[in-house]
Amino acid sequence: MKKSKIESYLGLARRAGKIVSGYQTCIHTISKKDIKLLIVAADTSENTKQKFSFLCEKYNVPFREFGDIAGLSQMTGLKERGIYGITDKNFAEVIIKEIDNEKITLD
């Protein structure tokens, strides 16, 4: 099975140390303005999605809902995480582009 570009970029970002994950870690990192993109799994709670959407709007951080917890965990090698912050501007830009392109293709 062919890996998607998103999976490849997330794996590269993880190996480069440019991903933070988890609820508290992402809240702290957003407030420090170090996150360039926040990805929340579609199967996280609505309350969590709303909270992070609000924080991202407040701190002007791009927000994307993508994949599910199991899939994102597999892509990044991090177990059972539904919230990921990309801390590198270049990784963030290409991942946003790929997520947006995938959503257009699916619609």
Side-chain angles (χ1 to χ4, degrees), residues 21 30 38 58 62 71 89 93:
S21 65
I30 285 174
L38 189 84
K58 179 179 178 181
K89 180 182 175 226
E93 288 173 357

Side-chain angles (χ1 to χ4, degrees), residues 17-84:
K18 302 298 181 182
I19 290 183
V20 294
S21 65
Y23 189 90
Q24 291 297 330
T25 304
C26 286
I27 287 175
H28 177 71
T29 311
I30 285 174
S31 66
K32 288 179 21 181
K33 300 182 182 181
D34 289 339
I35 290 182
K36 309 304 181 209
L37 166 64
L38 189 84
I39 301 171
V40 177
D43 56 348
T44 57
S45 73
E46 288 303 315
N47 187 39
T48 299
K49 290 177 199 175
Q50 288 174 356
K51 181 171 188 157
F52 279 98
S53 177
F54 172 77
L55 282 172
C56 286
E57 190 173 317
K58 179 179 178 181
Y59 291 103
N60 199 27
V61 173
F63 175 89
R64 296 294 185 277
E65 186 177 320
F66 177 76
D68 58 19
I69 292 171
L72 287 170
S73 293
Q74 184 179 8
M75 287 179 200
T76 60
L78 298 167
K79 301 261 186 225
E80 298 301 314
R81 305 280 171 92
I83 304 163
Y84 297 88

